[in-house]
Amino acid sequence: MLRRRTFLGSSLAAPALAACATAPAPAVHQPLPHDPHSHARPGEARVTHVSLDLAADFDRKALSGTATLSIEARAGAREIVLDSDGLIVKSARTNLGDTTFEFGSRDEQLGQALTIAIGPGVTALTIAYETRPGAGALQWLEPAQTASGQRFLFSQGQAILTRTWIPTQDSPGIRQTYDARIVVPEGLKAVMSAEMLTPDGEAAEGGRAFRFRMDNPIPPYLIAIAIGDLVYRGVGPRTGVYAEPSVIERAAYECADMERMLRAAEAMYGRYRWGRYDVLVLPPSFPYGGMENPRLTFLTPTFLAGDRSLVSLIAHELAHSWSGNLVTNALWADSWLNEGFTSYIEGRIVEALYGGENAAMQFALAWADIQKAIAAGPPDDTRLHLTGERSADDGVSAIVYDKGALFLRTMERELGRTRLDAYLRSYFDRHAFQPMTTQWFLEDVRARVVRGGPALEASLQLDTWAYEPGLPSNAVEPRAEAFERVAAHAAGFNAGGPASAIPWASWGTFERQRFLQTLPRELQAARLAELESALGLNGTGNAEVLFDWLSLAIANRAEASMPAVTDFLTWQGRGKFVRPLYRALMEQGEWGQAHARRIYAMARQGYHPIVQTAVDGIVTAA
Ligand code: BES
Ligand code: ZN
C-alpha cells in the first residue's frame, strides 16, 4: 500500500519504498520539541519502520544480524542521525548501495550519535551490527537464575536503553512500526511486543526462527523481546499468559481477571487498539513491577501473591495501552502524561472490578506517598513537568505517578465524572499514535473543556498543577473509611494493646500496607516480635506487605527478620524493593552495613544491570 504522506509539512523528496510501507506513519501535527535524551534530528530525516533480523547467541551474550530502517528525509538531507550505545556496527548500506557511517563522541547517559550518509532516493538503510554483553537493555540469565533451569534473555527499553540493542532514533516522539525475525537456540521460544506470526517457530540455521510484526507506530522504548523456555496459557478471548512451565499455573491463576479489566477500560476510554493483551511473567531479576510493552506486558514474578491481591499492577500496565502507548509523552520531562494518567486509569479499573473502597484505599496510600515526597524533596522536584538537567529515569516518583493521577482526580471532581470521561475518550481518539506534551495537553483542555469559561479556568488551576511545586489548593483529598478502622487498630496497638486484636485475616493488601506504614518507625523489640508472631509477617507471600514489614524490621535492627531480608533480597531483584531495603540497612550503622555487604555479595550477580548500578551507589558509597 503506497500512501502519500506529509513530512513536517513539506512533501517527500522520494516516494516510500512499497516494501517498507507496512503501516501509515503517524500524522505529526506540530513539529516535535527537541528531545535532550536523543541525538536524532527528525526534522531532517526520521525512521518510520524497523525491520530486525537477529540471532541470539547465549554463549557470547550477543544479538547479531541486521536492522533495516525505513526512513523519510527532507529534500536535500545529507545524513540521518541515529542513537546507539555500545553497538558494534559492521556495515551500513542504503537501498541505493554502500554508504558511510560515523560514531560521535560517547555521552555517559545518551550513548553515541550514529550518523549515516544518505542522499536523494534513499528510503531504506540496512545496518549490520551486534550488541555487546553489557548492553544496558538486555539481561542474559544463566540457567540457575530461571525457574526452568534454561537460559533466558529479556529486554527493557524504557527510558533510553533501546539504543543499546537497536540502532534507531530512540526518542519517544519518533514512532516506528516494526517487524522482526529472531533466531534462538533449539528448545527456547522468542516473544516480542508485537503480533506473533510463528507460534511454534520455524526451522532455521542454528536453531528456530520466530517472526513478529507490529503495525501500529510505537515509540522505540516499547520494542521488546524475551527468549526462554516459555509456555502459553490463554485466560480469555483476547488475553493470556506466557511464563516458564513451572510458573504458568500460578501465573494464569493470578491473571484470571485480565479480560474483565480490558472490557472495563474499553468501556471508559474506547476500543483497545492492539489486538491481543498478553502478559509475560519474567524471572525474578526483572527490575520493574511491570513494563507496558504493547500486546505483551512484562511482569515481575513478585506480583504472584497466590491470592490475586496484587493485580492492580496488571490494571496499571493495561491502562498504558491508552496513556503511554497510544498517546505518548514526547519528552521524558513529561512522563507524568504517561504514568500519572495511567495511575489514574489504574484506579478507575480497580474501582470497576473491585469496588470504590479498594480504589479509595489505593488513592489514600498514594496521597501519603505524595505528602512524603513533598516533605522530602526540594520544591523543584515536586513539579509535574520536570525542568532543568534531568536523567531520563527521573520520571519514577510519587510526583510523576501519584501527583499526576491526583491532577486528573481533581479534574474529575471539578468537571464531574461523565464530562471528564468523555473528554479523556476523545483525547485518546484524537491523539492516537501521536506524541503529547504538557503544553499541548493544557491547550487541548482549554479548547475542549474550559472554552474560555472564567469559572472553570479558575477552579481547575491547570498551570499550577502542571508547572508549580507542591500541591495546588484544589487537590482532592482521599477518604477511605477502611483506613479509619486501620488507624483505630494501629492506635490500639501503639497504646499497648495485644497484636492478636488486629483483624489481620480480614484485611486486604491495602489495609495491611496502611497498618505497617503508619506504625511508629521505632518499636520495642518485644512488641515487634509479638507483631511478627501474631501476623506471620516474615513469611508473608505478598511482596508489597513483606517490603513494608522488612522496612520496619530493619529500622528496628530486628535480627530475627534478617533471614527474611536475606531471602527477599536474594530471590528477586525488583528495584522498587531492593534499593530502599539496602538504603535502610546502610542507615543502621555498622550493624546494617555489615548485613548489606554480606547480602549484596551474594545477590549482586543476580540483579539486572540497572539495579546493580543503583545498589553499587548505595552499598559501596558508605
Ligand atoms: N513504565 C513503567 C516502568 C518504567 C518506568 C520503566 C520508568 C522504566 C522507566 C511501568 O508502567 C510502571 O509504572 N511500573 C511500576 C508499577 C506500577 C503499578 C506503579 C513498577 O515497576 O513498579
Ligand atoms: Zn506505568
PDB file of all heavy atoms in Angstrom, residues 457-468:
ATOM      1  N   GLU A 457     -11.805  27.951  34.370  1.00  0.00           N
ATOM      2  CA  GLU A 457     -10.379  28.283  34.288  1.00  0.00           C
ATOM      3  C   GLU A 457      -9.819  28.485  35.693  1.00  0.00           C
ATOM      4  O   GLU A 457      -8.747  27.973  36.031  1.00  0.00           O
ATOM      5  CB  GLU A 457     -10.186  29.544  33.436  1.00  0.00           C
ATOM      6  CG  GLU A 457      -8.745  29.999  33.263  1.00  0.00           C
ATOM      7  CD  GLU A 457      -7.846  28.994  32.530  1.00  0.00           C
ATOM      8  OE1 GLU A 457      -8.254  28.496  31.464  1.00  0.00           O
ATOM      9  OE2 GLU A 457      -6.742  28.715  33.044  1.00  0.00           O
ATOM     10  N   ALA A 458     -10.581  29.176  36.531  1.00  0.00           N
ATOM     11  CA  ALA A 458     -10.101  29.448  37.888  1.00  0.00           C
ATOM     12  C   ALA A 458     -10.145  28.189  38.747  1.00  0.00           C
ATOM     13  O   ALA A 458      -9.226  27.921  39.525  1.00  0.00           O
ATOM     14  CB  ALA A 458     -10.943  30.549  38.524  1.00  0.00           C
ATOM     15  N   SER A 459     -11.181  27.381  38.610  1.00  0.00           N
ATOM     16  CA  SER A 459     -11.324  26.261  39.543  1.00  0.00           C
ATOM     17  C   SER A 459     -10.379  25.104  39.206  1.00  0.00           C
ATOM     18  O   SER A 459     -10.008  24.329  40.076  1.00  0.00           O
ATOM     19  CB  SER A 459     -12.778  25.777  39.592  1.00  0.00           C
ATOM     20  OG  SER A 459     -13.099  25.136  38.376  1.00  0.00           O
ATOM     21  N   LEU A 460      -9.977  24.975  37.944  1.00  0.00           N
ATOM     22  CA  LEU A 460      -9.106  23.849  37.589  1.00  0.00           C
ATOM     23  C   LEU A 460      -7.646  24.073  37.997  1.00  0.00           C
ATOM     24  O   LEU A 460      -6.946  23.111  38.310  1.00  0.00           O
ATOM     25  CB  LEU A 460      -9.179  23.568  36.081  1.00  0.00           C
ATOM     26  CG  LEU A 460     -10.471  22.908  35.588  1.00  0.00           C
ATOM     27  CD1 LEU A 460     -10.494  22.849  34.062  1.00  0.00           C
ATOM     28  CD2 LEU A 460     -10.629  21.496  36.162  1.00  0.00           C
ATOM     29  N   GLN A 461      -7.194  25.322  37.960  1.00  0.00           N
ATOM     30  CA  GLN A 461      -5.788  25.636  38.292  1.00  0.00           C
ATOM     31  C   GLN A 461      -4.799  24.832  37.447  1.00  0.00           C
ATOM     32  O   GLN A 461      -3.827  24.248  37.964  1.00  0.00           O
ATOM     33  CB  GLN A 461      -5.511  25.385  39.782  1.00  0.00           C
ATOM     34  CG  GLN A 461      -6.392  26.195  40.729  1.00  0.00           C
ATOM     35  CD  GLN A 461      -5.900  26.110  42.180  1.00  0.00           C
ATOM     36  OE1 GLN A 461      -4.706  26.156  42.456  1.00  0.00           O
ATOM     37  NE2 GLN A 461      -6.838  25.996  43.105  1.00  0.00           N
ATOM     38  N   LEU A 462      -5.072  24.787  36.154  1.00  0.00           N
ATOM     39  CA  LEU A 462      -4.282  23.924  35.259  1.00  0.00           C
ATOM     40  C   LEU A 462      -2.781  24.223  35.317  1.00  0.00           C
ATOM     41  O   LEU A 462      -1.967  23.302  35.434  1.00  0.00           O
ATOM     42  CB  LEU A 462      -4.775  24.086  33.813  1.00  0.00           C
ATOM     43  CG  LEU A 462      -6.229  23.662  33.539  1.00  0.00           C
ATOM     44  CD1 LEU A 462      -6.631  24.063  32.117  1.00  0.00           C
ATOM     45  CD2 LEU A 462      -6.404  22.158  33.741  1.00  0.00           C
ATOM     46  N   ASP A 463      -2.429  25.494  35.222  1.00  0.00           N
ATOM     47  CA  ASP A 463      -0.991  25.818  35.180  1.00  0.00           C
ATOM     48  C   ASP A 463      -0.295  25.515  36.501  1.00  0.00           C
ATOM     49  O   ASP A 463       0.864  25.093  36.521  1.00  0.00           O
ATOM     50  CB  ASP A 463      -0.786  27.292  34.812  1.00  0.00           C
ATOM     51  CG  ASP A 463      -1.239  27.577  33.385  1.00  0.00           C
ATOM     52  OD1 ASP A 463      -0.908  26.768  32.502  1.00  0.00           O
ATOM     53  OD2 ASP A 463      -1.939  28.581  33.179  1.00  0.00           O
ATOM     54  N   THR A 464      -1.016  25.749  37.601  1.00  0.00           N
ATOM     55  CA  THR A 464      -0.431  25.447  38.908  1.00  0.00           C
ATOM     56  C   THR A 464      -0.132  23.956  39.003  1.00  0.00           C
ATOM     57  O   THR A 464       0.946  23.547  39.449  1.00  0.00           O
ATOM     58  CB  THR A 464      -1.398  25.865  40.029  1.00  0.00           C
ATOM     59  OG1 THR A 464      -1.892  27.173  39.738  1.00  0.00           O
ATOM     60  CG2 THR A 464      -0.718  25.869  41.376  1.00  0.00           C
ATOM     61  N   TRP A 465      -1.096  23.135  38.582  1.00  0.00           N
ATOM     62  CA  TRP A 465      -0.876  21.686  38.607  1.00  0.00           C
ATOM     63  C   TRP A 465       0.323  21.283  37.758  1.00  0.00           C
ATOM     64  O   TRP A 465       1.164  20.495  38.177  1.00  0.00           O
ATOM     65  CB  TRP A 465      -2.123  20.944  38.097  1.00  0.00           C
ATOM     66  CG  TRP A 465      -3.112  20.674  39.173  1.00  0.00           C
ATOM     67  CD1 TRP A 465      -4.268  21.355  39.408  1.00  0.00           C
ATOM     68  CD2 TRP A 465      -3.035  19.649  40.174  1.00  0.00           C
ATOM     69  NE1 TRP A 465      -4.919  20.826  40.496  1.00  0.00           N
ATOM     70  CE2 TRP A 465      -4.193  19.775  40.980  1.00  0.00           C
ATOM     71  CE3 TRP A 465      -2.120  18.640  40.466  1.00  0.00           C
ATOM     72  CZ2 TRP A 465      -4.441  18.927  42.070  1.00  0.00           C
ATOM     73  CZ3 TRP A 465      -2.366  17.793  41.546  1.00  0.00           C
ATOM     74  CH2 TRP A 465      -3.513  17.945  42.336  1.00  0.00           C
ATOM     75  N   ALA A 466       0.384  21.817  36.564  1.00  0.00           N
ATOM     76  CA  ALA A 466       1.389  21.331  35.624  1.00  0.00           C
ATOM     77  C   ALA A 466       2.787  21.872  35.926  1.00  0.00           C
ATOM     78  O   ALA A 466       3.772  21.157  35.758  1.00  0.00           O
ATOM     79  CB  ALA A 466       0.989  21.705  34.197  1.00  0.00           C
ATOM     80  N   TYR A 467       2.870  23.102  36.391  1.00  0.00           N
ATOM     81  CA  TYR A 467       4.184  23.754  36.413  1.00  0.00           C
ATOM     82  C   TYR A 467       4.699  24.139  37.797  1.00  0.00           C
ATOM     83  O   TYR A 467       5.866  24.485  37.935  1.00  0.00           O
ATOM     84  CB  TYR A 467       4.151  25.006  35.529  1.00  0.00           C
ATOM     85  CG  TYR A 467       3.854  24.707  34.074  1.00  0.00           C
ATOM     86  CD1 TYR A 467       2.706  25.226  33.456  1.00  0.00           C
ATOM     87  CD2 TYR A 467       4.706  23.901  33.321  1.00  0.00           C
ATOM     88  CE1 TYR A 467       2.423  24.945  32.114  1.00  0.00           C
ATOM     89  CE2 TYR A 467       4.431  23.620  31.992  1.00  0.00           C
ATOM     90  CZ  TYR A 467       3.295  24.143  31.393  1.00  0.00           C
ATOM     91  OH  TYR A 467       3.016  23.866  30.083  1.00  0.00           O
ATOM     92  N   GLU A 468       3.845  24.132  38.821  1.00  0.00           N
ATOM     93  CA  GLU A 468       4.292  24.617  40.132  1.00  0.00           C
ATOM     94  C   GLU A 468       4.632  23.462  41.059  1.00  0.00           C
ATOM     95  O   GLU A 468       4.089  22.375  40.935  1.00  0.00           O
ATOM     96  CB  GLU A 468       3.203  25.488  40.769  1.00  0.00           C
ATOM     97  CG  GLU A 468       2.867  26.757  39.983  1.00  0.00           C
ATOM     98  CD  GLU A 468       4.071  27.673  39.791  1.00  0.00           C
ATOM     99  OE1 GLU A 468       4.906  27.762  40.719  1.00  0.00           O
ATOM    100  OE2 GLU A 468       4.190  28.282  38.705  1.00  0.00           O
TER     101      GLU A 468
END
